[in-house]
Amino acid sequence: MNRRTALTGLMTAPLAAGASKASGAPSFRPSERDARDVLIRGAATVLTMAPEIGDGLLGEVRGADVLVRDRRVHAVGQGLDVPAGARLVDASGKLVMPGFIDVHNHLWQSSFRGGCSGQELDGWLDGCHVPVLDALTPEHIFWFVLLSCVDVLGSGVTTVVDWLAPMPYPMHVQYFAALDRSGLRFVVAASNDARDTRLVPRLNRELVSSCPRASLQVAGSALTAALEQMRADYGTARDLGVMYHCHLLETEDQRRGEPVRALREAGALGPGTLAAHAVHLTVEEMALLAGHDVRMAHCPLSNMRLGSGVMRLPELHRHGVKIGLGQDGAANDSSDYFALMKTAVGLQRAVHQRADVHPRIPDVLYMATLGGAEAIGMDDRVGSLTPGKAADLIIVDPHTANFAPRRDWTSQLVLNGQPHNVSHVFVDGAEVKKDGQVMSVDVAETVARAERASRTLHG
């Protein structure tokens, strides 16, 4: 969601308990155990998302192993040799695939989950988003962001793109500390502050560069009334070699700001732009954005929750637009990525009254992985189990009441899957969820501290 008013005042609350001045909190550092080779052995099915390795769009390989070496995917195949000293992970009867990629979120918004549930976007912003943001302290930020990180990791997300609301620098320190602590691969979309026009380069220099799992985008608006700021923000993105990430036509009334015209006049049409929502595009606008290879984030659960509308996904697909899935913060309410995929499929079927409309089941799994990586320009690093890419992967256990019995695992991933089916999550070769438990964070403490922070905000 786009914040409607500027953040005023400098938050002065202390850093989270145990925080260091440099990072805000202990960061997640993989253990020596994680640095060893890992052989994930005997998976019933591996969805590599690489057709050159397996069958079909999803690159399916049956009865296969996955070898991780130096935190990267080294090989996928049947009967791989066990390297000396490698750690074995038994995936018998399970499914292995790349981790999910969440291309648009607002992690701090766990601070008001379930709030303003009877409101559309403007009421939701005025009633929940703005007053909570104005009341947050750096310590609040740390625990709410960490809570969301635990939730997204538990659902099988390995890369998250988080769009930060405008906030002063002390807040960013805690924001990064929580993300770093979680073990996630993360991309922070941050905006320059009116009081500090060099804030984004500073964040890149002082925070992003210190974490190998971190990347940067520039967060911006798309409004004709903000053309000069858009030009400056897009210029910052271009100078830093990162993407420009804006909200676009989430609701029909946002057309008054002529956002597509603003993008064109600001010179911000191109593959370096990621547009979130893009619900109310005209036929001409879809063609224009597609012609410039603008990327998009589809947030179906949020759009449903706020009554915003339904993205014209089949038409955008026909234009060849690269689109990933986004959870969009508190308007998504939880971080159930399986529900997100099911909704992306089901909404289009309901609107078109057809079961063969895009996205079909393989399409949405592609959007959730390699398609999301393409949308954020990271497909050279993540999104598929291609040798040489980062070992960001998940193991899914289908032997549960909601999933069994096996019939069509590709379909069942989307239609039956739930977060608890994700038994293991690896990010950059490190095991951050094992046997159904998130390992990188003290989950009980995180929940308790977030509850305590919530009581100070909401009573």
Side-chain angles (χ1 to χ4, degrees):
M1 304 306 137
N2 232 336
R3 187 168 181 228
R4 300 175 68 210
T5 60
L7 181 65
T8 56
L10 184 65
M11 307 304 179
T12 57
L15 297 176
S20 70
K21 183 177 180 181
S23 65
S27 60
F28 175 70
R29 294 292 179 257
S31 65
E32 288 185 16
R33 183 169 179 265
D34 288 315
R36 295 161 52 193
D37 292 345
V38 178
L39 183 65
I40 300 171
R41 172 175 264 178
T45 298
V46 178
L47 299 181
T48 66
M49 305 299 158
E52 67 275 15
I53 296 176
D55 297 329
L57 175 69
L58 306 184
E60 182 175 353
V61 184
R62 294 289 184 97
D65 308 330
V66 179
L67 177 61
V68 174
R69 176 168 290 169
D70 296 327
R71 306 196 185 285
R72 296 184 177 275
V73 177
H74 184 73
V76 179
Q78 298 172 339
L80 297 180
D81 292 335
V82 183
R87 183 160 58 94
L88 294 180
V89 176
D90 183 11
S92 301
K94 298 180 181 179
L95 187 148
V96 178
M97 64 181 293
F100 300 130
I101 296 177
D102 178 359
V103 302
H104 183 75
N105 211 325
H106 305 276
L107 295 171
W108 69 272
Q109 289 181 353
S110 61
S111 54
F112 60 94
R113 283 174 171 168
C116 300
S117 59
Q119 299 290 331
E120 297 173 2
L121 176 60
D122 285 348
W124 183 90
L125 289 169
D126 289 339
C128 282
H129 174 104
V130 171
V132 172
L133 182 58
D134 285 346
L136 287 176
T137 69
E139 185 171 7
H140 291 149
I141 282 282
F142 179 83
W143 293 110
F144 289 135
V145 171
L146 194 61
L147 178 68
S148 292
C149 289
V150 170
D151 204 20
V152 299
L153 274 173
S155 191
V157 172
T158 51
T159 297
V160 63
V161 181
D162 205 54
W163 200 97
L164 270 63
M167 58 182 66
Y169 183 76
M171 307 287 272
H172 295 90
V173 175
Q174 289 291 62
Y175 217 112
F176 274 79
L179 283 161
D180 190 20
R181 182 69 189 90
S182 73
L184 274 165
R185 188 178 306 282
F186 59 95
V187 184
V188 171
S191 57
N192 286 318
D193 190 283
R195 295 158 295 186
D196 184 357
T197 58
R198 300 294 296 167
L199 177 60
V200 173
R202 179 185 181 187
L203 297 178
N204 190 50
R205 181 177 64 254
E206 297 183 7
L207 298 176
V208 176
S209 63
S210 65
C211 179
R213 300 185 318 278
S215 300
L216 183 72
Q217 294 177 350
V218 175
S221 301
L223 296 166
T224 50
L227 271 176
E228 289 309 309
Q229 185 63 50
M230 289 178 67
R231 290 187 180 108
D233 290 339
Y234 191 74
T236 297
R238 187 175 57 247
D239 291 344
L240 294 173
V242 302
M243 295 191 78
Y244 178 73
H245 187 161
C246 65
H247 295 75
L248 180 68
L249 287 171
E250 184 175 357
T251 61
E252 181 64 38
D253 63 3
Q254 289 176 358
R255 183 161 294 285
R256 293 195 298 267
E258 299 182 279
V260 176
R261 176 189 158 202
L263 286 171
R264 184 177 62 244
E265 294 190 7
L269 290 178
T273 293
L274 176 65
H277 303 291
V279 173
H280 295 280
L281 295 170
T282 65
V283 171
E284 294 77 16
E285 288 168 340
M286 285 190 282
L288 175 68
L289 296 176
H292 286 85
D293 197 18
V294 171
R295 317 298 171 86
M296 296 183 189
H298 180 35
C299 307
L301 281 171
S302 167
N303 297 153
M304 284 176 55
R305 156 71 135 96
L306 298 175
S308 299
V310 181
M311 179 190 249
R312 297 167 71 173
L313 199 52
E315 294 163 85
L316 289 165
H317 174 68
R318 286 195 293 273
H319 280 291
V321 178
K322 295 177 177 66
I323 303 174
L325 296 174
Q327 302 208 71
D328 200 34
N332 200 85
D333 293 297
S334 74
S335 299
D336 185 341
Y337 203 97
F338 295 92
L340 186 70
M341 291 189 291
K342 184 188 293 188
T343 303
V345 171
L347 266 180
Q348 299 302 328
R349 291 186 181 189
V351 168
H352 294 273
Q353 298 182 48
R354 291 171 46 195
D356 62 348
V357 70
H358 182 85
R360 297 164 299 173
I361 297 296
D363 301 321
V364 82
L365 285 167
Y366 185 90
M367 289 173 66
T369 53
L370 188 56
E374 290 171 345
I376 60 175
M378 292 179 64
D379 50 303
D380 60 333
R381 287 169 276 172
V382 297
S384 68
L385 301 185
T386 303
K389 287 191 179 183
D392 292 6
L393 57 89
I394 64 176
I395 302 176
V396 179
D397 183 358
H399 303 295
T400 59
N402 66 293
F403 206 114
R406 176 171 181 164
R407 181 177 177 85
D408 176 351
W409 273 10
T410 302
S411 295
Q412 287 172 274
L413 267 174
V414 175
L415 301 176
N416 295 60
Q418 295 175 11
H420 67 85
N421 292 113
V422 180
S423 63
H424 294 69
V425 177
F426 290 80
V427 180
D428 210 31
E431 196 171 37
V432 292
K433 184 178 184 181
K434 178 184 178 183
D435 297 329
Q437 300 297 317
V438 173
M439 307 292 291
S440 56
V441 173
D442 185 327
V443 177
E445 180 193 18
T446 301
V447 171
R449 295 295 292 265
E451 290 281 11
R452 188 185 311 171
S454 180
R455 286 194 294 272
T456 68
L457 287 174
H458 306 295

